[in-house]
Amino acid sequence: MKRLVALTAILLLAATGCSGTDDNEGESGGKVELTYWSWAPNMDKVAEVWNAAHPDIHVTVNKQDGGDPAVTKLLTAIKAGSGAPDVMQAEYQKIPTLVAANAIADIAKEAGSLKSKFPDSAWNSVTLGQSAVYGVPQDSGPMMFFYRADIFQQLNLQAPTTWEQYADVARKVHAANPKQYLGTFSANDPGWFSGLSQQAGASWWGVKGDAWSVNIDDANTRKVAQYWGGLVQEGAVLNTPMYTPEWNAALNDGTQVGWLGAVWGPGVLSGSAPATKGKWKAALLPQWDAAKPANGNWGGSATSVTTQTKHRKQAAQFAGWLNTDPAALKALAQTANVYPAATDATATALTTPPAFFAEQTDFYALAAQAAKATNPFTYGPNVNVAYNAYNDAFGKAAESRQAAAFTAALGTMQTTTLDDLKKAGFKTA
Amino acid sequence: MLARARAPYAFLAPALVLFAAFLAAPILYTAYLSLWKVKVSGLGLGPDARTEVWAGLGQYADALSEPDFLASVGRVALYGLIVVPVMLGGALLFALLLDAGRTRIGPFARISIFLPYAVPAVVASLLWGFLYLPRVSPFVWVLEHSGIGAPNLFSSQLVLYAVANVAIWGGTGFNMIVIYTALRAIPSELSESARIDGASELQIALRVKVPIVRPSLIMTFVFSLIATLQVFAEPMNLKPLSNTISTTWSPLMTVYRDAFTRNDIHSAAATSIIIAVATFALSFGFLKLVGNRAFGQES
């Protein structure tokens, strides 16, 4: 019987939910307790810097698996009415979704004055072009081009500075060795494609008055889709996804001799292709118009304050400190391996190049140049719908290896995304 | 007397609480969620921009008229046509061979056929995915170096078989054990007398053993049917490796996409209910169809 009672008690506890624990942690003796969800490595060590300097506001970092699962968890907690953290790392493309779900708060009053510390493209991502401020930009992912300097030298090739040259180099690399490719078109990485489109001048969503517009199938993105469709069709680049065991093997054995990545690329390369350390070089993304350098972002996130917090002021204060204070920026860059969005971070926090690119002393100078040239881009409230549509439509196009299928896929993405907004009731223009 | 009357309920309580908390309540909640939808107004950015409104059966109508969902149902039907016969045929064959007892490596063979079942589907998918990718697969290497040339298993024509293979590899062992256990329970006199009557091993297997283990065959069939309708882990984990597995490849992947990447729990709830109803209807329909013939001989 004792066992039965114990079992029933456990089940009842489980059934009524153990969510009560988080609620009472609020204040103990005037000290404010904040929880912070983040998936950046070593973020707890960065928070320690804050805790040491702010005895009255204590931040506890709760490590998350990544951007997508954290959003799912947060939205569940918002729906349940409790369990959300005070501060949350939010990817730029998820901010409209989180705002639409009323999960993150407007901190314009507390953090609005930080605008001048960030490039316009990053600040635009947290305001959605409005007067509200839905977070403080943390990191940005300016895209960069990585290539095997040793193989380029062997083949007597120069790093391409325009997309025309990139296509030319891709053909030569493949002609020199049929197993060798300069790059691949990845239908599994919508963030990669949206970054390339951003560089070309696209902004997939827009706000016109009180209505959303969807501009995925516009001239700029179509230019990008046509370009890649052409390269895939002629066989100058691969059509298989990135981040597969096969891709890793190709990077490591030198048959994948280039990668259109972003500033965080060295971390990926050191994990995927450890055998090639020291053989890579970073360059700016090839350009559509060399006279007007432009760039796009792949990745990046902000620090937002949730609507469930009882300490909005302190949470916003922490978010501001974390992303603008010189000590915090240094800790972010050096212990959490984050590329801070703050404009002056490059000068103060990023002095030595990443270990995988140890020889390239101008790595962060290039990154800063890339970040500065980044075009503005507006994300909409249904980024995931568009990204899923990219996966499915461009997956088919890549498999077919037909250039025409690439532009058709763009049309599918546009219709799917716009129809979804309309169906949910959003006003569209 | 009262205590005695209460005793059964006390014994039932744990099961009932478990059932209510972890099965009945979630199902009812899912059904409830499926009848609502989120209605957004304007830009959808203010705190009051989202309201939950009654949708009635609207979400069901939407799900059933979604071409991607219908395509996934067709795909899974085809997938079932490959997986179920191959897996159960293999399981029956292995079970009969082991039961015939002509081999000294019986226990070893039994374990090695069963072992893949102990490998979680996620791990199995990653493992097979590795073996399918042309540039890292040892099989492809061997085939190409022997001049035969290997097919691309992730191509749109073959990807269905590639996914089916993972499920067959993982499921055959379990089904074999179920059938084998039933075979071991057959009294040896039956086979002996058949043998004395001049029946060959093949005849004994087909005319004596298979009819007796029919209930086990039916059970494994129903289990396989349910697993087929709910195929998820294999395509989900092979998806990042290929261009040919879409986000709505199987019905359950559509549910996952709606609930966890589109954050639309209402339409995910409706699709889940549709899948659950279809699963119930198919399993019970089948059991009813074969029930009398299969279990009749026992009564």
Side-chain angles (χ1 to χ4, degrees):
Chain A
M1 195 60 195
K2 220 184 210 169
R3 202 190 267 176
L4 188 72
V5 170
L7 187 64
T8 318
I10 290 168
L11 288 173
L12 283 175
L13 270 180
T16 51
C18 310
S19 58
T21 45
D22 293 353
D23 295 346
N24 304 329
E25 279 174 13
E27 271 155 284
S28 53
K31 190 174 169 186
V32 172
E33 288 284 344
L34 298 175
T35 41
Y36 171 30
W37 285 5
S38 168
W39 57 89
N42 296 321
M43 196 54 104
D44 49 337
K45 300 207 175 86
V46 182
E48 272 167 28
V49 180
W50 162 273
N51 289 336
H54 300 79
D56 50 339
I57 307 173
H58 184 259
V59 174
T60 309
V61 173
N62 198 327
K63 181 89 158 59
Q64 303 297 304
D65 291 337
D68 287 330
V71 164
T72 305
K73 266 172 81 176
L74 180 67
L75 291 178
T76 311
I78 293 293
K79 196 166 164 52
S82 72
D86 302 280
V87 185
M88 161 92 181
Q89 181 179 1
E91 290 174 296
Y92 294 132
Q93 75 267 23
K94 301 287 164 56
I95 287 180
T97 307
L98 292 172
V99 174
N102 197 24
I104 53 178
D106 176 8
I107 50 169
K109 214 171 69 195
E110 294 89 352
S113 60
L114 300 174
K115 182 179 193 296
S116 61
K117 306 249 182 200
F118 298 97
D120 288 344
S121 58
W123 192 255
N124 187 55
S125 313
V126 295
T127 59
L128 312 179
Q130 309 209 306
S131 58
V133 176
Y134 295 110
V136 181
Q138 179 160 82
D139 62 318
S140 62
M143 289 188 76
M144 296 174 91
F145 172 60
F146 304 109
Y147 63 100
R148 284 284 298 272
D150 56 330
I151 297 177
F152 267 54
Q153 201 174 11
Q154 270 169 34
L155 299 176
N156 207 7
L157 293 168
Q158 298 292 317
T161 54
T162 64
W163 286 111
E164 206 176 298
Q165 287 174 15
Y166 179 91
D168 203 41
V169 172
R171 287 181 199 112
K172 284 182 181 150
V173 162
H174 185 52
N177 174 355
K179 284 199 165 163
Q180 206 165 256
Y181 289 94
L182 181 60
T184 185
F185 178 86
S186 177
N188 274 347
D189 292 285
W192 172 80
F193 186 71
S194 84
L196 292 175
S197 304
Q198 179 178 12
Q199 186 209 21
S203 178
W204 286 355
W205 287 266
V207 178
K208 283 184 194 147
D210 63 343
W212 286 101
S213 62
V214 177
N215 322 301
I216 296 174
D217 194 8
D218 75 338
N220 298 314
T221 312
R222 214 173 298 149
K223 180 169 68 184
V224 180
Q226 252 159 8
Y227 176 80
W228 285 99
L231 286 183
V232 168
Q233 181 169 353
E234 68 168 279
V237 296
L238 279 167
N239 66 338
T240 45
M242 299 171 186
Y243 297 105
T244 66
E246 192 168 52
W247 186 71
N248 291 345
L251 284 173
N252 207 24
D253 70 14
T255 47
Q256 189 75 241
V257 304
W259 179 38
L260 294 159
V263 67
W264 39 260
V268 174
L269 290 175
S270 63
S272 303
T276 59
K277 187 175 175 179
K279 295 179 177 165
W280 292 84
K281 257 193 103 148
L284 293 174
L285 221 52
Q287 296 293 324
W288 291 105
D289 180 355
K292 279 183 271 171
N295 200 30
N297 264 327
W298 183 8
S301 62
T303 312
S304 294
V305 174
T306 70
T307 49
Q308 261 178 24
T309 182
K310 296 190 183 88
H311 311 285
R312 177 181 297 193
K313 212 180 116 218
Q314 290 88 340
Q317 194 190 338
F318 170 69
W321 173 89
L322 180 63
N323 301 309
T324 56
D325 186 273
L329 290 176
K330 200 168 171 199
L332 275 183
Q334 287 168 7
T335 47
N337 280 325
V338 153
Y339 180 74
T343 324
D344 54 2
T346 326
T348 58
L350 299 163
T351 42
T352 44
F356 202 72
F357 283 75
E359 311 272 289
Q360 196 167 7
T361 45
D362 65 342
F363 184 91
Y364 284 116
L366 278 175
Q369 213 179 322
K372 212 172 145 202
T374 298
N375 279 333
F377 190 93
T378 308
Y379 291 107
N382 64 341
V383 170
N384 282 333
V385 173
Y387 278 17
N388 282 161
Y390 172 81
N391 258 231
D392 294 351
F394 277 95
K396 269 186 209 155
E399 194 61 23
S400 77
R401 293 174 180 272
Q402 296 297 316
F406 280 66
T407 36
L410 214 51
T412 311
M413 253 183 102
Q414 166 81 18
T415 348
T416 311
T417 311
L418 188 60
D419 287 355
D420 174 74
L421 280 184
K422 284 183 184 158
K423 200 182 138 202
F426 287 98
K427 203 166 160 197
T428 53
Chain B
M1 202 57 197
L2 205 61
R4 189 179 273 187
R6 276 186 194 153
Y9 296 103
F11 282 116
L12 274 176
L16 285 179
V17 170
L18 274 176
F19 177 81
F22 296 111
L23 202 66
I27 289 176
L28 286 176
Y29 186 53
T30 307
Y32 169 81
L33 283 175
S34 72
L35 301 174
W36 295 81
K37 68 175 180 184
V38 170
K39 188 81 192 157
V40 181
S41 56
L43 277 178
L45 296 183
D48 306 315
R50 286 188 158 219
T51 41
E52 288 194 356
V53 297
W54 178 254
L57 296 177
Q59 304 276 18
Y60 291 89
D62 284 354
L64 289 173
S65 59
E66 171 78 38
D68 287 345
F69 179 70
L70 299 178
S72 76
V73 172
R75 193 176 295 123
V76 160
L78 207 60
Y79 165 86
L81 280 178
I82 301 165
V83 170
V84 179
V86 175
M87 183 167 71
L88 293 187
L92 179 63
L93 179 71
F94 287 134
L96 287 169
L97 286 176
L98 285 173
D99 187 56
R102 291 255 169 114
T103 165
R104 267 188 227 155
I105 56 160
F108 173 76
R110 202 164 65 226
I111 292 291
S112 45
I113 298 169
F114 180 72
L115 213 54
Y117 180 68
V119 179
V122 174
V123 178
S125 312
L126 293 176
L127 234 135
W128 278 102
F130 209 94
L131 296 178
Y132 291 160
L133 284 171
R135 301 232 4 200
V136 286
S137 168
F139 294 135
V140 172
W141 190 87
V142 168
L143 284 173
E144 284 192 340
H145 280 76
S146 57
I148 302 169
N152 177 11
L153 287 162
F154 279 128
S155 66
S156 42
Q157 295 87 12
L158 295 180
V159 70
L160 190 73
Y161 300 91
V163 179
N165 175 53
V166 182
I168 292 168
W169 179 80
T172 304
F174 168 77
N175 291 302
M176 178 212 61
I177 288 288
V178 172
I179 299 168
Y180 177 73
T181 312
L183 284 172
R184 299 304 290 171
I186 299 174
S188 55
E189 295 85 1
L190 287 177
S191 308
E192 265 167 39
S193 51
R195 206 166 285 129
I196 291 163
D197 286 346
S200 70
E201 284 298 324
L202 185 66
Q203 282 172 320
I204 295 173
L206 292 180
R207 301 217 177 147
V208 179
K209 291 177 176 175
V210 170
I212 295 178
V213 300
R214 201 187 279 159
S216 299
L217 290 175
I218 287 166
M219 192 183 80
T220 51
F221 181 83
V222 171
F223 282 172
S224 311
L225 199 66
I226 294 173
T228 295
L229 290 169
Q230 301 185 345
V231 58
F232 177 74
E234 294 88 355
M236 196 69 190
N237 286 291
L238 289 173
K239 181 182 158 354
L241 306 181
S242 80
N243 285 325
T244 44
I245 300 177
S246 68
T247 50
T248 53
W249 198 85
S250 82
L252 225 51
M253 283 173 75
T254 310
V255 173
Y256 176 85
R257 181 200 67 172
D258 288 350
F260 298 112
T261 66
R262 291 189 167 185
N263 299 310
D264 181 358
I265 48 169
H266 302 285
S267 91
T271 315
S272 317
I273 297 278
I274 292 173
I275 296 171
V277 168
T279 311
F280 272 113
L282 274 174
S283 346
F284 285 110
F286 175 75
L287 282 180
K288 198 153 175 58
L289 190 75
V290 297
N292 294 338
R293 266 203 294 167
F295 303 110
Q297 62 200 24
E298 284 177 4
S299 53

